[in-house]
Amino acid sequence: MKPGVRALGIAESVGPSDERSTLAGVVVRRDRVVEDAAFRSCAVGGTDATDAVCSLLEECIRPDVRYVLVGSVAPAWYNLLDLTHIHQRADRPVIAVTFEESDGLESGLRDAFSGASLEDRLERYRALPARRPVSVNDETVYVRHLGCDASDAATVVRAFTPEGGRPEPIRVASALARAGNQYAGRRSRLEK
């Protein structure tokens, strides 16, 4: 893969109020050059994360961005992403990368929600593509993908992970989301 290939990385960090979570979107070239960034927020425990991600797509996606890498399928305390909708809006491969082995989210969802809220989340969760382990730099990450096959998804994840186990677009987006939360926390304290 050429050094100038670009991916949009999206990651989140729960805000200082624990009511909102900051999502950061970052365009990163394979050679680690950061070219663009944007921020959105979604409700902790809400159902608006997919809309926030799609808003980031509208702002950051360009013809030269070939992949979308997402750092979670359940940001902001089970604000589950609809990866199919995101893939349709992006019109390019979407690869969700998580970093821990898991038995899945169903039991956590059942503990946290009930009624229609639970059923909506279970439906979204069950619609997600299967998770596959991928070895990257002596670490294992877990990948869900749409718009490309398993082999291509693994190649993309490895190409954008020059060291460690976190793809650079997700690592940078996560750092920016944390920084955005720190700024928002300081600003809200000053306004009081």
Side-chain angles (χ1 to χ4, degrees), residues 87-106:
H87 173 247
Q88 289 168 344
R89 292 285 292 273
D91 194 29
R92 62 210 69 210
V94 172
I95 302 167
V97 183
T98 54
F99 308 99
E100 296 176 15
E101 192 170 3
S102 164
D103 291 330
L105 300 178
E106 284 206 29

Side-chain angles (χ1 to χ4, degrees), residues 35-86:
E35 293 187 336
D36 200 1
F39 296 92
R40 295 294 182 276
S41 69
C42 63
V44 172
T47 57
D48 59 343
T50 297
D51 291 337
V53 168
C54 288
S55 181
L56 285 170
L57 290 173
E58 288 174 13
E59 185 163 342
C60 293
I61 210 85
R62 341 182 283 224
D64 60 348
V65 173
R66 299 218 4 231
Y67 306 99
V68 176
L69 294 145
V70 180
S72 173
V73 296
W77 195 64
Y78 300 122
N79 196 330
L80 284 157
L81 296 179
D82 180 340
L83 291 183
T84 299
H85 183 71
I86 292 167

Side-chain angles (χ1 to χ4, degrees), residues 117-189:
S117 293
L118 173 62
E119 292 309 313
D120 176 57
R121 284 170 175 81
L122 287 173
E123 184 178 330
R124 278 190 189 210
Y125 178 65
R126 291 173 179 156
L128 292 169
R131 245 170 53 124
R132 295 174 173 29
V134 173
S135 296
V136 180
N137 300 327
D138 297 324
E139 296 189 32
T140 301
V141 298
Y142 300 88
V143 173
R144 300 174 194 266
H145 54 89
L146 291 119
C148 62
D149 64 25
S151 175
D152 288 341
T155 297
V156 170
V157 168
R158 289 180 185 123
F160 279 94
T161 311
E163 57 188 46
R166 292 195 187 267
E168 196 70 358
I170 293 172
R171 188 191 70 75
V172 173
S174 181
L176 287 178
R178 281 191 309 274
N181 280 333
Q182 290 171 355
Y183 172 75
R186 281 194 298 270
R187 187 171 172 203
S188 67
R189 285 192 299 273

